């Protein structure tokens, strides 16, 4: 009988198992078993068929077949025949039939097993089409095969089976089984895969095709067990291939080497198949799924089961090398041109996943070292090399320093041996890192400047090195993207002066290349700040927009068109006309009130820099825009970026929960790419060199941007909650920092994010849930930490003078003016500070401070004691070691913050007592200064305060007297000095108008009337009263210091406000605000403190020097109207003088002395007292009588009444009464008061002037001259502030006075403020502004007089000299822009300012022609000619012609 004979099937009513089982009724003994076995064999010898026997042996449990594939046999209680018995039965029957056939037992066993195997796998039968396409066996086939192999294993154990013969017979007709069959043969240790590979060289091709087919095959839906088998088959094969191909041996035999190479080739073929799939970018689901499945097998945990660690690393290193050198078709020039498309976000996910699998067993340093070795020894696929570097950087944030070291080594090697390979490698790797954004690697411009921008650069050692660098850069020019050329031009390498020509050759070449690319230097921005990343397609337009923003910003700060813009309009006209102006003149809805951009456009138009047609088109477009009043934001992408971003953020949340750090970094890189699509600004802008403007009052960003920001913030809040459930902040990964760093590379996104956070904190705080609040607090902490060295934020309107870090800017959104605002602020700040303290727990102190925002910490220092009275009894102190407490309690601190059952009060109380919180108070930037506390307190609205008036008083007294009075000055306190405390209070009050302006910008509900200013004034009164009482109990000299202290303080404030001689409008307003606030404080203080009492010769006297100095230097400048103190202030000062005099032995005498000093040195107080005397005298008389037991007023004060009576008597008719014994100015002020009291009747007052003829005496003349000055002052005031509408009457009175004084030269002296004399006092009456306008008043009055009076004036002695000087001063006024501008329309007979100037010149020329040459001395003439030569040559010529000094006799020159 041959081996090809077949076995016939027989049918049985009962199986052998059931027959045997039915006869086992008791526990058999050993001899019983032997007898039973012999009986069974005899039974089988009776026509038993072997094929049926194979089917019958064993009764497998189909459900648990795979659970017993660990080599262990099932329990004996199974219904099947025991293995030993079944094996014995089979062997006996095989031997019987083999002896009958005359063949070896093993040959017959192989035949029987092979036939059964063919029957199971169905290779010889016609199957359904679906079964033919299956990559794996069906479930039933797999069960039967496992039973067959189990039996075969028993035969092999008893020496009745030959596996090698089985494989020979199977492959005899070039038949090869399915890979799963080989897997099971290997699994049951019948035929190992290693033997199969050794036995037949043709197996390699079969194995590769089987692996590809199995990877590409997808199991039918519902067959989850089949999917597990698929993975087991693949992983087992790979483990064998890796272990066999890469296990190191000291002296491998030739067969081992051949087998090792065969395994490597199989793995390489599969790797190349994978890379081909990626390279062809196949979109078929089967192809992509197959590639993903094969990558999944590249797992260290899978491959390392049967291979050593060294073999595994060797395999991964070999595969990495093969990947990096796969099809090196791309040249270096291709890499330079296409590099922008090979970033991580744009790379195929299969490639990045493969790189992650291959790199997992190596350190970053090992990978970069291997990369360098591959680059030096192989031709590489640059796309794969650069994608690998991006993947390495994205998945390993700590890789940046290692890459920098590699770049340094490459550059050093390049310049040592002038090696172009190392040079180009360094540049490509540096650019690739820069393409991943500033959160991953520094920008290309930063790297280029750091490497070549200084004298210590790699190229600076010799001329040869410099030439090598410039030659290299020149060779790159034909292939360079334009952004890199711009970096090289804007940030050129350092070149010594003597070699400058070499650099200029390169710059010329680069500019030519830019011109060829239509990216010429003309298209470079005016203020361009380029980097190596980003595309050139949007760069020009975006740069022009940035140039416009910068130019508008400079215009806003300087009020002038910047020189850069003016130069560009001339020397770079193409860029100016085609780029800059279109970006500036983008149509928009123009605001009703011109903003800075409108003003800038108008300034350019006035300078003839905007073509008329372009400007007209802009205006029309703006009008259409207003009519349409709509705008939209659209994106030209295939997929909706919002949907893409939403899915990416959801995937990131899942990865965070799974804790996959590497995949999180990769996902963040993809999110960054999507955000750059939505915010198509300049993602390559240099972080750290920009200022972001935060417009706090503008409408929100476009709707799309708001949706994106909301989506980002919501996702971050969810991620924070998920992460916090597992670990406290100090135990979490760096996911939050990486998340935030993704947002920092795009300035447009960053700006929208900051605006949204501001809006949430400032306007929507009450609507935020606890989860949102915690998430936003965490976000702010990481946002601030990531931007600690990034761009600053400038608030618009400029609430702060300088840009500030983002944390401080956002803290300004938290306005603590009302109870609801305070509650939201304290909750947010608690979350921010608690998270920051816990997050920075394990970091060095400097890094801890990056996480704990000092501005939010200070708000807690302010709010917690205010809202929690118990906190005042436990002030913030630090002492002793707190590390143990801190270690244990910081996570608990965060837990109390996130606990929904814990109130903010409990969290605040816990935090307030925490030593770590207290210790921060000893760091200067975390100390809440007294001035800052006062600024916060003055913003609180009393009507909406959480504290009642008594509670607020108690709180403020605690803060002032218990906290800050005793605190050291360097810690923001007062060092125990009550004067320092008082000065802080006063400065805060006087600064309030500035803070009010800021508050109005922040919160329109804030008003000065509703703030806590009255409360702080009460604290000042309490403090000053205490200082007064304590000083009185000591030396009297000390008490005087309170007066000096107050006036010195306000003098210092005013001096700091006025920084130059010529005051700007803003400075004048600031000074006026300061003094008005000071006057409010002054009126709230005891009047007696304003007059100093000193001891002289054993008696007490009044000293008014400080008061006089204060009035003359400061109050005079802000009087309204000019030359007149307010009635309240005047009364307060006089009341202080009377009250202080009571301290002296002779009060009346001291009052007389003090008033005499006032009349001589403080004319403003004198004039004001006379003006308000009718209202002041009853109050002063009552005060004096109360103080001095009914005594009459002192003589000098009584004299004021006498002067008033005298002036009124003159008005009633001619009187022979002599002049009162008062100074001329006092008499003049009394006359003016009488004139005002009579209703400004000029008809009746002319009689008074006739009585006071100047011929009657010097004092009469002085009285009239002073009266003329006071009237001119009123005239200017009436023109500038015409609410009184009395300038006509004042001008008439001035005319009458001039008619009386025209023959005297004294009236000219009031226009010569620089000349000493009796009239010098007039400069101390009015403001400096009015003194400046005296030349204008001089000519304004003269030009409105009759011709006769003008002729008489010209003949007045000294008139021409005064007239020429006043004309020069008038010209200077016009040149400096200090012209008088009335606030109403001029009357018919009132001239415009320019008319006055032209008429003044004509009048002066006539006066010169009518004046005798002897009217001026030679020196006076020369002086006037020299002064007029530059300002008005015509007047200078007239002086020379008509007043030629050569016609004068030398003896006459003494005039």
């Amino acid at each position: 009988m041959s081996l090809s004979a077949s076995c016939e099937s027989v049918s049985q009513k009962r199986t052998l198992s059931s027959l045997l089982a039915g006869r086992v009724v008791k526990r058999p003994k050993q001899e019983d078993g032997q007898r039973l076995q012999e009986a069974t064999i005899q039974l089988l010898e009776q026509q038993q068929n072997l094929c049926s026997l194979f089917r019958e042996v064993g009764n497998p449990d189909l459900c648990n077949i795979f659970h017993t594939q660990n080599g262990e046999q099932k329990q004996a209680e199974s219904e099947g025949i025991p293995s030993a018995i079944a094996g014995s039965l089979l062997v006996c029957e095989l031997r019987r039939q083999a002896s009958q056939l005359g063949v070896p037992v093993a040959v017959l066993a192989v035949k029987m097993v092979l036939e059964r195997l063919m029957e199971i796998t169905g290779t010889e039968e016609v199957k359904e089409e679906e079964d033919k396409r299956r990559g794996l066996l069906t479930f039933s086939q797999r069960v039967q095969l496992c039973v067959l192999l189990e039996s075969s294993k028993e035969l092999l154990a008893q020496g009745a089976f030959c596996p090698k013969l089985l494989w020979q017979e199977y492959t005899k007709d070039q038949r090869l089984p399915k890979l799963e069959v080989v897997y099971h043969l290997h699994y049951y240790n019948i035929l190992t895969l290693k033997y199969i590979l050794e036995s037949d060289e043709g197996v390699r091709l079969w194995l590769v095709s089987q692996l590809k087919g199995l990877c590409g095959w997808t199991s039918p839906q519902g067959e989850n067990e089949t999917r597990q088998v698929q993975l087991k088959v693949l992983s087992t094969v790979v483990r064998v291939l890796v272990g066999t191909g890469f296990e190191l041996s000291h002296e491998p035999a030739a067969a081992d080497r051949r087998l090792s190479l065969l395994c490597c080739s199989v793995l390489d073929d599969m790797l190349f198949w994978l890379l081909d799939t990626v390279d062809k970018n196949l979109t078929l689901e089967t192809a992509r799924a197959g590639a993903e499945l094969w990558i999944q097998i590249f797992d260290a945990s899978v491959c390392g089961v049967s291979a050593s660690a060294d073999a595994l690393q060797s395999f991964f290193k070999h595969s990495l090398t093969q990947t990096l050198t796969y099809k090196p078709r791309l040249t270096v020039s291709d890499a330079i041109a296409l590099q922008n498309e090979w970033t991580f976000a744009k790379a195929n996910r299969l490639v990045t996943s493969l790189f992650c699998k291959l790199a997992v067993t190596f350190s970053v340093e090992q990978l970069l070292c291997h990369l360098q070795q591959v680059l030096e020894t192989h031709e590489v696929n640059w796309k794969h090399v650069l994608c690998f570097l991006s993947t390495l950087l994205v998945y390993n944030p700590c890789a940046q320093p290692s890459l920098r070291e590699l770049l340094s080594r490459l550059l050093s090697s390049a310049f040592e041996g002038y090696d172009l390979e190392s040079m180009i490698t360094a540049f490509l790797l540096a650019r690739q890192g820069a393409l991943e954004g500033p959160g991953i690697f520094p920008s290309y411009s930063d790297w280029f400047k750091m490497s070549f921008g200084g004298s210590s650069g790699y190229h600076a050692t010799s001329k040869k090195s410099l030439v090598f660098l410039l030659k290299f850069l020149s060779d790159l020019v034909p292939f360079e993207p334009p952004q890199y050329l711009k970096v090289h031009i804007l940030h050129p390498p350092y070149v010594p002066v003597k070699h400058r020509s070499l650099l200029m050759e390169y710059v010329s070449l680069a500019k030519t290349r830019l011109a060829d690319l239509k990216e010429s230097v003309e298209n470079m921005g005016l203020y361009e700040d380029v980097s190596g990343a980003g595309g050139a397609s949007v760069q020009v337009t975006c740069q022009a927009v940035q140039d416009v923003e910068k130019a508008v910003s400079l215009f806003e700060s300087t009020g002038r068109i910047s020189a850069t813009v003016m130069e560009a309009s001339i020397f770079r006209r193409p860029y100016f006309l085609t780029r800059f102006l279109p970006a500036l003149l983008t149509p928009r809805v123009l605001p009703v009130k011109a903003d800075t951009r409108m003003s800038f456009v108008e300034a350019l138009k006035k300078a003839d820099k905007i073509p008329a047609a372009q400007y007209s088109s802009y205006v029309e477009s703006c009008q259409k825009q207003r009519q349409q009043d709509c705008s939209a934001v659209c994106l030209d992408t295939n997929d909706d970026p919002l949907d893409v971003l939403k899915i990416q953020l959801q995937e990131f949340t899942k990865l965070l929960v799974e804790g996959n750090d590497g995949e999180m970094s990769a996902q963040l890189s993809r999110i960054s790419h999507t955000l750059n699509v939505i915010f198509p600004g300049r993602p390559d802008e240099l972080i750290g060199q920009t200022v972001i403007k935060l417009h706090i009052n503008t409408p929100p960003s476009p709707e799309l941007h708001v949706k994106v920001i909301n989506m980002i913030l919501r996702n971050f809040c969810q991620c924070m909650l998920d992460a916090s459930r597992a670990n406290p902040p100090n135990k979490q990964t760096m996911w939050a920092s990486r998340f935030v760093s993704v947002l920092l590379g795009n300035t447009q996104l960053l700006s929208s994010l900051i605006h949204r956070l501001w809006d949430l904190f400032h306007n929507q705080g009450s609507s935020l849930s606890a989860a949102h609040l915690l998430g936003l607090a965490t976000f702010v902490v990481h946002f601030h930490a990531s931007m600690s060295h990034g761009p600053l934020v400038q608030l618009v309107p400029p609430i702060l003078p300088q840009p500030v870090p983002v944390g401080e800017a956002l803290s300004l959104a938290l306005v603590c003016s009302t109870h609801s605002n305070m509650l939201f602020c304290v909750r947010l700040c608690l979350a921010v500070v608690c998270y920051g303290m816990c997050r920075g727990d394990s970091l060095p102190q400097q890094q801890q401070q990056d996480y704990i925002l000092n501005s939010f910490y200070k708000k807690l220092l302010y709010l917690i004691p205010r809202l929690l009275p118990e906190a005042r009894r436990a002030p913030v102190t630090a002492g002793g070691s707190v590390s143990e407490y801190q270690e244990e309690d910081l996570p608990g601190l965060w837990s109390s913050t996130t606990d929904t059952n814990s109130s903010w009060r409990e969290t605040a109380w816990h935090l307030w007592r925490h030593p770590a919180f207290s210790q921060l108070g000893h760091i200067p930037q975390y100390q809440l200064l007294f001035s800052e506390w006062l600024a916060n307190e003055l913003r609180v609205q009393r009507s909406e305060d959480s504290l009642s008036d008594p509670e607020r008083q108690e709180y403020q007294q605690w803060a002032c007297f218990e906290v800050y009075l005793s605190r050291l000055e360097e810690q923001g306190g007062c060092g125990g000095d009550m004067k320092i405390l008082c000065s802080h209070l006063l400065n805060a009050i006087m600064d309030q108008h500035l803070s009010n302006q800021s508050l109005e910008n922040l919160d329109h509900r804030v008003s000065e009337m509703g703030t806590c200013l009255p409360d702080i004034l009460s604290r000042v009164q309490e403090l000053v009263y205490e200082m007064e009482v304590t000083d009185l109990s000591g030396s009297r000299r000390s008490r005087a210091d309170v007066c000096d202290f107050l006036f010195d303080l306000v003098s210092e404030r005013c001096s700091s406000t006025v920084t130059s001689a010529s005051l700007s409008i803003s400075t004048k307003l600031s000074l006026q605000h300061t003094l008005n606030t000071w006057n409010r404080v002054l009126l709230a203080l005891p009047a007696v403190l304003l007059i100093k009492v000193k001891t002289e010769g054993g008696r007490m006297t009044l000293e008014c020097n400080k008061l006089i100095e204060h009035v003359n230097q400061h109050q005079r400048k802000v009087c309204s109207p000019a030359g007149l103190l307010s009635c309240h202030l005047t009364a307060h000062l006089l009341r202080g003088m009377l009250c202080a005099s009571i301290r002296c032995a002779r009060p009346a005498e001291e009052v007389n002395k003090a008033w005499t000093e006032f009349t001589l040195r403080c004319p403003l107080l004198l004039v004001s007292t006379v003006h308000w005397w009718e209202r002041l005298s009853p109050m002063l008389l009552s005060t004096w009588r109360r103080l001095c037991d009914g005594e009459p007023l002192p003589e000098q004060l009584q004299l004021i009444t006498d002067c008033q009576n005298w002036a009124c008597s003159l008005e009633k008719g001619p009187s022979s009464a002599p002049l009162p014994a008062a100074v001329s100015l006092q008499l003049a002020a009394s006359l003016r008061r009488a004139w005002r009291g009579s209703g400004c009747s000029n008809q009746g007052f002319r009689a008074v002037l006739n009585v006071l003829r100047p011929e009657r005496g010097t004092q009469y003349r002085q009285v009239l001259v002073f009266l003329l000055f006071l009237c001119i002052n009123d005239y200017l005031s009436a023109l500038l502030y015409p609410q009184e509408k009395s300038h006509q009457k004042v001008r008439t009175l001035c005319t009458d006075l001039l008619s009386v004084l025209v023959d005297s030269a004294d009236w000219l002296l009031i226009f010569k403020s620089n000349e000493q004399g009796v009239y010098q006092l007039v400069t101390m009456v009015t403001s400096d502004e009015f003194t400046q306008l005296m030349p204008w008043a001089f000519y304004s009055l003269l030009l409105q007089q009759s011709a006769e009076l003008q002729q008489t004036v010209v003949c007045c002695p000294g008139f021409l000299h005064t007239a020429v000087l006043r004309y020069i001063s008038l010209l200077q006024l016009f040149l400096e822009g200090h012209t008088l501008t009335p606030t109403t329309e001029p009357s018919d007979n009132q001239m415009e300012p320019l008319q006055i100037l032209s008429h003044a010149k004509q009048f002066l020329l006539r006066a010169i022609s009518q004046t005798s040459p002897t009217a001026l001395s030679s020196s006076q003439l020369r002086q006037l000619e020299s002064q007029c030569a530059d300002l008005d040559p015509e007047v200078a010529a007239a002086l020379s012609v008509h007043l030629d000094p050569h016609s004068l006799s030398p003896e006459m020159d003494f005039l």
Side-chain angles (χ1 to χ4, degrees), residues 1319-1370:
Y1319 303 109
Q1320 181 69 21
L1321 284 175
V1322 299
T1323 59
M1324 304 306 295
V1325 173
T1326 191
S1327 64
D1328 294 338
E1329 181 186 11
F1330 274 39
T1331 303
Q1332 273 187 318
L1333 291 174
M1334 289 301 284
W1336 189 92
F1338 177 81
Y1339 278 103
S1340 177
L1341 286 173
L1342 285 180
L1343 293 175
Q1344 296 182 65
Q1345 306 306 320
S1346 63
E1348 294 80 9
L1349 184 56
Q1350 288 180 356
Q1351 184 62 38
T1352 307
V1353 166
V1354 170
C1355 298
C1356 178
F1359 172 78
L1360 184 61
H1361 186 261
T1362 302
V1364 175
L1365 291 176
R1366 293 314 98 204
Y1367 176 71
I1368 294 171
S1369 300
L1370 183 63

Side-chain angles (χ1 to χ4, degrees), residues 664-677:
M664 279 194 288
S665 298
Q667 188 67 12
L668 286 174
S669 184
R670 300 179 189 106
I671 291 171
S672 175
H673 177 71
T674 306
L675 289 174
N676 287 335
V677 174

Side-chain angles (χ1 to χ4, degrees), residues 132-202:
K132 289 183 178 180
R133 292 197 304 266
R134 284 185 67 93
L136 295 173
L137 302 174
T138 63
F139 183 71
S140 60
Q141 287 176 323
R142 189 175 301 116
V143 171
Q144 295 176 62
L145 177 62
C146 290
V147 171
L148 174 64
L149 295 180
E150 192 71 44
S151 301
S152 301
K153 191 175 180 181
E154 286 295 329
L155 294 177
L156 180 63
Q158 298 189 36
F161 186 72
C162 180
K164 295 182 180 179
L165 182 60
L166 174 67
W167 183 253
Q168 291 174 3
E169 289 296 320
Y170 203 122
T171 58
K172 183 170 62 176
D173 298 328
Q174 300 299 319
R175 297 175 305 181
L176 287 172
K178 288 185 178 181
L179 187 58
E180 185 182 355
V181 175
V182 174
Y183 159 74
H184 287 298
L185 290 172
H186 174 85
Y187 180 84
Y188 284 97
N189 206 21
I190 295 173
L191 274 173
T192 64
L193 184 59
K194 183 177 180 180
Y195 167 78
I196 293 174
L197 291 171
E198 288 176 332
S199 65
D200 190 351
E201 293 184 358

Side-chain angles (χ1 to χ4, degrees), residues 214 460 572 619 657 686 730 741 894 902 914 955 1270 1285 1382 1433:
L214 188 55
R572 297 186 58 191
V619 173
V657 175
L686 291 180
N730 58 338
S741 66
W894 176 245
S902 177
H914 201 285
Y955 164 68
L1270 294 176
K1285 300 184 182 300

Side-chain angles (χ1 to χ4, degrees), residues 238-293:
V238 170
R239 280 198 294 265
V240 173
L241 292 175
V242 172
T244 305
F246 294 92
E247 197 66 59
L248 301 178
S249 177
H250 296 293
E251 295 180 359
D256 292 337
R257 285 199 301 270
R258 184 183 63 81
L259 181 60
S260 175
L261 291 175
L262 187 145
C263 292
C264 290
S265 68
V266 171
L267 291 170
D268 286 346
D269 283 350
M270 289 303 296
L271 178 63
F272 296 151
W273 166 74
L274 168 66
L275 295 176
D276 278 332
T277 302
V278 175
D279 195 39
K280 295 174 183 176
N281 199 18
L282 295 178
T283 57
L284 292 177
E285 186 175 350
T286 54
R288 187 170 186 86
E292 289 177 351
L293 182 59

